[in-house]
Amino acid sequence: MLRALFLLTLLSARAAAAAPEPAFVVVVDPGHGGEKDGAVGPSGLREKDLTLQIARRVAARLAAQGGRAVLTRDADRAVPLAARAALANARQADLFVSIHLNAMPGPARGRAHGVETYFLSADASDASATAVAARENADRLAGEPEPDPRDPVSGILQDLADKDALSESSRLAYAVHERLVHGLGAEDRGVKQAPFYVLAGARMPAVLLEVGFVSNAAEARRLATPAYQDQVARAIAEGVAAWRSALAAR
């Protein structure tokens, strides 16, 4: 009897040791899609096409690191902004990463270049962050509920199940931003905060990456090449890995 109990305990311990750890899940969100082109470059390059191409490469990089990436869209189709973070919540994702391309209106349109990284806040860091959030937030689909114009994310900030998600979003933003700037040799336009609807509601660390300016002809050409897209994807994956290592060390 004791021998049988011992063998059962031993087999259970071995089975537990052999069981794989749950995959680290990242929901990767290619900005725009369907009727929403996003920013359009001087030669007609569309943000929605480039973000999808980059997102697929990010997913492959994360898979190579042993993680599991889920795309909010894997084709040129419309996805409501609110549904993107909701998907991450439903999948119990560990991270939410939304990928976008920047654009500058007016005389500076052809000159602005570089990388900006954002995490959620009720207040924008500066006028530039306000403008970027306004452009991205305008990408709502017909029938989507209008957010409260007085304070679009305050309820989300108050109701977050995990308050640490906001501080971890900041740490994730800096980790990914550093890799993007150095990996791409891009101008460092900073880590900023803004009220992005696509991040609102995410119950995990969440960031929005503006990985270059499609309005800048030279930068848009680079962003359209597979080699540069792979550099972007590698930098994002390395940033995620660096954040995970720092989290494990705390």
Side-chain angles (χ1 to χ4, degrees):
M1 181 70 169
L2 288 175
R3 177 179 174 78
L5 183 60
F6 172 77
L7 288 174
L8 182 60
T9 303
L10 182 61
L11 288 172
S12 297
R14 286 178 176 174
E21 292 185 6
F24 186 82
V25 179
V26 182
V27 168
V28 183
D29 173 44
H32 311 285
E35 66 197 55
K36 303 295 185 178
D37 289 342
V40 179
S43 66
L45 287 169
R46 300 180 299 184
E47 181 181 3
K48 68 173 183 178
D49 298 326
L50 298 180
T51 58
L52 180 56
Q53 292 162 13
I54 293 169
R56 286 171 173 161
R57 293 176 183 276
V58 172
R61 287 277 177 180
L62 292 171
Q65 292 180 353
R68 184 161 63 88
V70 178
L71 297 179
T72 57
R73 66 178 180 94
D74 194 22
D76 182 15
R77 63 184 183 87
V79 180
L81 293 181
R84 299 177 188 235
L87 171 65
N89 294 336
R91 295 297 183 95
Q92 297 183 316
D94 297 284
L95 294 179
F96 178 81
V97 178
S98 189
I99 299 173
H100 292 258
L101 297 178
N102 221 331
M104 184 71 73
R109 176 176 173 82
R111 298 194 301 270
H113 60 96
V115 174
E116 294 177 348
T117 302
Y118 290 88
F119 61 97
L120 183 66
S121 172
D123 300 309
S125 301
D126 53 31
S128 173
T130 298
V132 172
R135 177 170 57 82
E136 302 295 2
N137 290 344
D139 201 12
R140 291 190 298 278
L141 302 176
E144 279 193 74
E146 289 287 334
D148 183 348
R150 295 167 298 177
D151 195 351
V153 297
S154 63
I156 295 297
L157 297 177
Q158 292 167 7
D159 295 339
L160 274 174
D162 182 0
K163 298 290 185 180
D164 289 339
L166 285 177
S167 60
E168 287 303 331
S169 294
S170 172
R171 294 187 179 101
L172 173 64
Y174 278 98
V176 174
H177 185 78
E178 179 183 2
R179 273 31 177 222
L180 281 169
V181 169
H182 290 98
L184 303 178
E187 179 181 346
D188 182 354
R189 296 178 63 91
V191 174
K192 304 179 181 181
Q193 305 172 55
F196 288 98
Y197 301 145
V198 72
L199 301 181
R203 304 282 170 163
M204 70 290 299
V207 294
L208 185 145
L209 311 175
E210 298 278 0
V211 299
F213 278 77
V214 73
S215 57
N216 181 294
E219 195 156 73
R221 284 194 297 271
R222 286 196 299 274
L223 286 160
T225 64
Y228 194 77
Q229 289 178 5
D230 202 50
Q231 283 183 260
V232 174
R234 183 188 305 115
I236 293 171
E238 287 176 354
V240 169
W243 174 81
R244 291 184 66 191
S245 296
L247 180 65
R250 287 201 293 272

